[in-house]
Amino acid sequence: MVPLVSKLYCSSTEVVYVVRKRPHVINGGGFVVTDCDQKVVFSVDGCGILGKAEELILRDERRDALLLIRGKGGIFEALSFNKIWNAYRYDFQGSKKLVFSLRKPKSCLPVDKDTGIRITTKPNLGKKDWDFEISGYFPGKECSLFDSEGNLVAQIGKNKKAGVLLSKDLYYVSIKPGIDQAFVVGVIAILDNIYGESTSC
């Protein structure tokens, strides 16, 4: 797979990270992602820090911004059958470049599974074309990311390979070799916000 954010975040082996939610009363919410040595590798700032609903920033271990993530709102959202999120990175001139879009169908009926959440990485793909799909239930931390050929890309769960994570504010993400880890964490940030967790106000 071609790196979406940077080849710096692609590993030749599978990696397992721990995601830890930050309470809104501490640093405005969001979450941090750590490795097995408890070193922070990514962090996500939500509206508790930024002061803007449906706007998130994914940062690296040095707190440098990697992705600006925004939910489309206004008239566009009112007329659409989908809720769309776009993730951008900045080029050297400071202009935004679209990295991926996540589309979640709106529904007036309560749903208990993440069905129909799809991700495109090419701006010219139509509504029926997609590169990745989310399967499972993110609020229960039983969720997987697959590519369009059905290959498992990443898995979110409660039980880490080394044992059970006891805190409700902790869960793990396992990312397959060659997959851009920053992209996967960006997807998790959007799911976190959609379901009103640590990045939302």
Side-chain angles (χ1 to χ4, degrees):
M1 177 181 166
V2 176
L4 297 174
V5 180
S6 171
K7 63 181 181 182
L8 295 173
Y9 305 112
C10 297
S11 171
S12 59
T13 59
E14 182 175 359
V15 297
V16 177
Y17 290 143
V18 175
V19 181
R20 177 171 47 87
K21 300 178 187 179
R22 289 189 308 226
H24 283 280
V25 294
I26 301 173
N27 297 326
F31 62 82
V32 295
V33 180
T34 59
D35 62 15
C36 58
D37 297 321
Q38 298 186 351
K39 176 187 173 187
V40 173
V41 288
F42 298 105
S43 62
V44 174
D45 294 340
C47 67
I49 296 172
L50 305 176
K52 295 182 181 179
E54 297 186 348
E55 185 167 304
L56 314 169
I57 294 180
L58 170 65
R59 300 183 185 276
D60 64 13
E61 71 277 7
R62 297 181 305 275
R63 298 281 301 154
D64 292 333
L66 296 176
L67 291 176
L68 169 65
I69 302 170
R70 286 182 171 158
K72 284 191 174 183
I75 294 175
F76 177 86
E77 181 180 351
L79 297 175
S80 175
F81 290 106
N82 298 289
K83 173 65 182 178
I84 296 177
W85 290 79
N86 289 329
Y88 306 90
R89 64 179 170 83
Y90 293 99
D91 63 19
F92 293 108
Q93 288 77 36
S95 59
K96 292 184 296 186
K97 179 181 178 183
L98 182 65
V99 177
F100 69 89
S101 295
L102 182 146
R103 181 181 290 117
K104 181 182 188 304
K106 291 186 199 170
S107 174
C108 15
L109 300 173
V111 291
D112 61 354
K113 297 292 176 191
D114 291 330
T115 53
I117 300 181
R118 290 183 170 168
I119 300 161
T120 58
T121 60
K122 303 170 195 71
N124 57 349
L125 283 183
K127 290 182 180 179
K128 294 183 180 178
D129 298 317
W130 51 277
D131 298 302
F132 300 94
E133 183 172 38
I134 294 162
S135 173
Y137 187 50
F138 180 77
K141 303 303 176 281
E142 296 174 2
C143 185
S144 300
L145 181 64
F146 294 90
D147 66 17
S148 58
E149 296 179 356
N151 300 309
L152 180 66
V153 169
Q155 195 164 20
I156 297 164
K158 296 176 184 174
N159 297 329
K160 193 181 169 193
K161 289 183 177 178
V164 177
L165 296 173
L166 300 176
S167 171
K168 65 181 179 63
D169 294 327
L170 294 175
Y171 57 95
Y172 82 90
V173 57
S174 172
I175 304 172
K176 295 297 182 182
I179 302 301
D180 192 317
Q181 299 156 17
F183 158 68
V184 173
V185 175
V187 170
I188 292 172
I190 298 173
L191 293 173
D192 180 281
N193 197 272
I194 286 173
Y195 291 102
E197 297 195 8
S198 61
T199 60
S200 63
C201 291

